[in-house]
Amino acid sequence: DLSKDGTYNDGRTVVKDGVLTYTYMDGETEKSITLNGKSERPADAGYDTIKEWIAAQVKAAPAQPFTDVPEDAWYATHVARAVKLGIVNGRTTTTFVPNAMVTREEFAVMTVRMLKAKGLVTEEELKAYTSTPFGDVSSNSFALREIAYCADKGIISGYGKNIFAPKKNISRQDAAKILAGALGLDGTAEPFADQDAISDYAKPAVLACKAAKILDGKGQNEFKPKDNLLRCEAAKIMVAAVDLG
């Protein structure tokens, strides 16, 4: 139904007043585009034009299950898709709490679920992780396996000797550091206006995530590295990470 305004495919498809606009990614052509992380040829799916193909994807977009996520919110389709991919869950069956902050343990879980969605780690592999090197991660923690996996792969690190601080809210720069490590990102981009505010250990990761179009700024080309990551932001970056080739 194109009668409802909204954004789809990570903001590349916009429907406004019944008019659909699609923004090409690098490498896409009239005959080959990328949807949900996969290269697709509209003709192979039985569509004559890209417009018909994209319209079909919009109509098939997952419904928004949460009462606190407005249909026209910038993050609405990201939340719906992240939930469909099994990367994030609602705080209840009807609420997502998009502006709540994400803890370090929650982000570790999201990261591993994102890697599973990309086919880079399996449930069978995770079963082998039964303990972590961190003394403050409980043996019955819901995030035990994911934290253990990330620590083993060098994706995450703690604070000093064997301290992970699982309940601490994660900053945007630390989220970038984890994502860059998980995805093996090493690209670079033009610095943010507040580049000097980014801690040295996170600067390469932040620019790598910017280059990969996973994390962007928050107005005026500022990254706000010390701000806590919000759940709506986490949904967006996880979907972008899944779609990254």
Side-chain angles (χ1 to χ4, degrees):
D1 180 4
L2 300 184
S3 63
K4 291 185 178 180
D5 292 352
T7 60
Y8 306 85
N9 299 325
D10 304 327
R12 292 186 289 120
T13 299
V14 178
V15 176
K16 185 165 181 63
D17 298 330
V19 177
L20 185 151
T21 303
Y22 180 77
T23 302
Y24 286 101
M25 292 177 65
D26 291 343
E28 290 186 333
T29 69
E30 284 284 339
K31 296 183 179 180
S32 179
I33 59 178
T34 301
L35 288 177
N36 300 334
K38 298 180 180 179
S39 179
E40 303 279 8
R41 288 167 48 88
D44 292 342
Y47 295 90
D48 294 329
T49 67
I50 285 181
K51 181 178 180 180
E52 291 177 356
W53 172 244
I54 295 296
Q57 297 300 313
V58 168
K59 291 176 182 178
Q64 184 55 252
F66 303 115
T67 59
D68 60 348
V69 178
E71 288 187 359
D72 60 351
W74 65 263
Y75 51 81
T77 56
H78 305 306
V79 169
R81 187 151 168 250
V83 169
K84 185 177 182 180
L85 288 167
I87 297 173
V88 297
N89 299 313
R91 286 287 172 84
T92 70
T93 56
T94 59
T95 60
F96 184 74
V97 196
N99 292 313
M101 292 171 282
V102 179
T103 64
R104 285 168 56 80
E105 63 184 352
E106 289 173 335
F107 196 75
V109 170
M110 292 180 191
T111 298
V112 172
R113 288 176 176 173
M114 174 271 293
L115 293 174
K116 287 175 67 176
K118 290 176 70 69
L120 299 178
V121 63
T122 66
E123 184 65 22
E124 195 63 30
E125 288 178 84
L126 291 176
K127 289 180 180 178
Y129 292 93
T130 58
S131 64
T132 79
F134 305 115
D136 59 346
V137 177
S138 169
S139 60
N140 61 1
S141 168
F142 75 94
L144 174 68
R145 295 188 313 170
E146 289 82 359
I147 293 173
Y149 174 85
C150 288
D152 180 54
K153 301 300 182 182
I155 296 171
I156 61 173
S157 58
Y159 292 95
K161 190 175 181 179
N162 83 335
I163 299 297
F164 181 66
K167 304 295 183 185
K168 182 178 180 179
N169 294 326
I170 194 165
S171 66
R172 285 169 54 83
Q173 66 177 10
D174 283 354
K177 183 76 165 60
I178 290 172
L179 283 173
L183 296 169
L185 304 179
D186 58 5
T188 190
E190 287 295 318
F192 286 101
D194 58 349
Q195 190 72 15
D196 289 343
I198 303 172
S199 298
D200 288 343
Y201 72 84
K203 284 180 178 178
V206 168
L207 293 184
C209 286
K210 181 182 181 182
K213 299 181 180 179
I214 292 177
L215 271 168
D216 48 25
K218 299 182 72 173
Q220 304 299 314
N221 192 36
E222 292 185 328
F223 183 68
K224 302 289 185 180
K226 307 298 172 55
D227 282 7
N228 292 317
L229 186 73
L230 304 181
R231 282 170 56 80
C232 56
E233 295 172 328
K236 179 184 178 182
I237 64 179
M238 289 300 170
V239 167
V242 169
D243 285 347
L244 185 67

